[in-house]
Amino acid sequence: APLLGIEPRRIHAELDRIASLSGLGPMLDFPVRTYSNGMRSRLSFGLSSLIDAPILVADEILSGGDRAFKKRVADWFAACCASGRTVIIASHKMDVVRSICRRAVWIHEGKIRALGPSGEVLDAYEAFTDQAAFSGKATPLGMARWRPQPTEDVPEGADSGAEEGESPEGGNKTL
């Protein structure tokens, strides 16, 4: 918490709020070194809720946790927005973005591909990813599609007699 700039006495005063938002309840009495990664994320979220900043950035906060935790986080984000704060959520979970965000930005290879109402941006993103997946072209992250390597050494220039994309026994060799 000292890294977040929160005074220890404020943390003690807000323990009930932290316990409620994090869902950790009585587990707050246990040493943090005994927490799982998920519990640490929940604790971090509960502590960050004490920060009174006009702009909040959350990176994949809703990628883990149970349904009740996700609802608490979404409700808290909605309350922040209703109070005039700006919440920026970085996520690859389209359902999260659709359910929480009014506006979205799609960034591809460092450039803005779309900006606008979240439904429109997500539809464009999903169409792009579907097209890229079915065409065998680059993924949205710009990485080449993985292809299996031959399992045996084949002399360079050797011809298996199969068409490109087929194994010598026939059929597709791409997984």
Side-chain angles (χ1 to χ4, degrees):
L3 293 175
L4 296 174
I6 304 169
E7 294 290 327
R9 67 178 150 251
R10 179 154 183 236
I11 293 170
H12 290 294
E14 299 281 356
L15 274 178
D16 288 341
R17 177 177 166 186
I18 295 167
S20 175
L21 280 173
S22 68
L24 292 174
M27 294 301 296
L28 285 175
D29 293 331
F30 288 83
V32 174
R33 72 178 186 284
T34 65
Y35 285 16
S36 67
N37 287 338
M39 292 169 71
R40 288 174 193 242
S41 293
R42 289 170 176 250
L43 177 60
S44 295
F45 170 70
L47 289 169
S48 67
S49 71
L50 302 179
I51 298 171
D52 188 27
I55 300 173
L56 304 169
V57 179
D59 186 6
E60 298 291 356
I61 185 70
L62 292 170
S63 62
D66 59 21
R67 176 181 252 171
F69 176 70
K70 290 178 182 179
K71 178 159 180 14
R72 280 192 303 275
V73 173
D75 290 347
W76 187 78
F77 284 152
C80 287
C81 291
S83 71
R85 296 166 82 182
T86 299
V87 179
I88 299 170
I89 299 171
S91 181
H92 288 92
K93 294 205 163 259
M94 300 302 106
D95 59 326
V96 168
V97 178
R98 275 190 203 279
S99 67
I100 295 177
C101 302
R102 292 188 311 262
R103 297 184 51 79
V105 60
W106 164 25
I107 301 172
H108 176 76
E109 296 179 346
K111 296 186 174 128
I112 294 176
R113 288 285 300 253
L115 172 67
S118 60
E120 292 174 19
V121 172
L122 294 176
D123 289 346
Y125 174 77
E126 289 170 342
F128 175 82
T129 57
D130 289 348
Q131 185 273 331
F134 292 120
S135 71
K137 294 183 180 176
T139 66
L141 298 177
M143 299 183 302
R145 201 171 117 185
W146 178 82
R147 297 196 184 272
Q149 300 299 314
T151 56
E152 58 187 73
D153 291 333
V154 178
E156 198 165 324
D159 184 7
S160 68
E163 293 292 319
E164 186 176 349
E166 289 185 345
S167 67
E169 298 82 28
N172 193 335
K173 68 179 179 183
T174 304
L175 296 178

